[in-house]
Amino acid sequence: MAPATLDAVEDRLKDVIQNLFEIQSAVHGYLGPETQQELVRKIKILTTNLAALSTTSTHLPVRIPPEIIAYVEDGRNPDIYTREFVELVQKGNQYLKGKAEAFASFRDVLAEEMSSAMPEVRGEVERVLEATGGKRREQGGVEERRNGESGSS
């Protein structure tokens, strides 16, 4: 079956809300057996509309993470989940950025030490540095980035 549109689900939802309003009015004006049949009819229509809403919404292309559903079922605000998730992702990104920077620094120090200790592999070290975007020491103490940028350390 083709995915349902949000408009179709919204229409079913409006029908359910209208049914609930009609049932509320019928209950408020309940007069006994003479209004009972009307109330039963409205409840049957509500049941039919709820079934239609359920059927339509299962074909909706939107997927809600089960964690958010659990948050709402526990009476918690889903915005809190979103904020905590973003904070967790930021923390993970900072951790990975730190690791990447540490490895890049290690690569540059290792390349410098290898070049000074073993001059015969300097060409290979320069090739690896160029391929990985590393830094090399120039005369005068200025570091030069392999992508053409330069800066001082």
Side-chain angles (χ1 to χ4, degrees), residues 21-88:
F21 177 75
E22 290 173 4
I23 290 171
Q24 177 189 8
S25 297
V27 167
H28 182 69
Y30 188 73
L31 299 174
E34 60 268 9
T35 57
Q36 182 177 359
Q37 288 301 327
E38 183 64 21
L39 185 57
V40 169
R41 186 183 67 78
K42 289 181 182 196
I43 291 173
K44 286 181 181 178
I45 292 171
L46 173 64
T47 305
T48 303
N49 285 337
L50 283 171
L53 174 63
S54 179
T55 303
T56 304
S57 65
T58 57
H59 301 292
L60 202 59
V62 177
R63 298 288 176 236
I64 299 173
E67 295 86 6
I68 293 178
I69 293 172
Y71 250 66
V72 172
E73 286 177 349
D74 291 341
R76 298 179 72 189
N77 187 341
D79 291 338
I80 294 171
Y81 173 83
T82 303
R83 184 184 40 165
E84 289 173 352
F85 182 77
V86 168
E87 289 171 356
L88 185 64

Side-chain angles (χ1 to χ4, degrees), residues 134-147:
K135 299 177 185 176
R136 64 181 167 108
R137 282 257 178 218
E138 293 292 325
Q139 289 81 8
V142 176
E143 288 183 358
E144 181 182 292
R145 279 199 93 43
R146 283 307 189 171
N147 61 9

Side-chain angles (χ1 to χ4, degrees), residues 110-125:
L110 181 64
E112 184 179 329
E113 293 299 320
M114 286 180 68
S115 292
S116 64
M118 299 180 285
E120 64 275 5
V121 297
R122 185 170 297 186
E124 284 297 309
V125 170

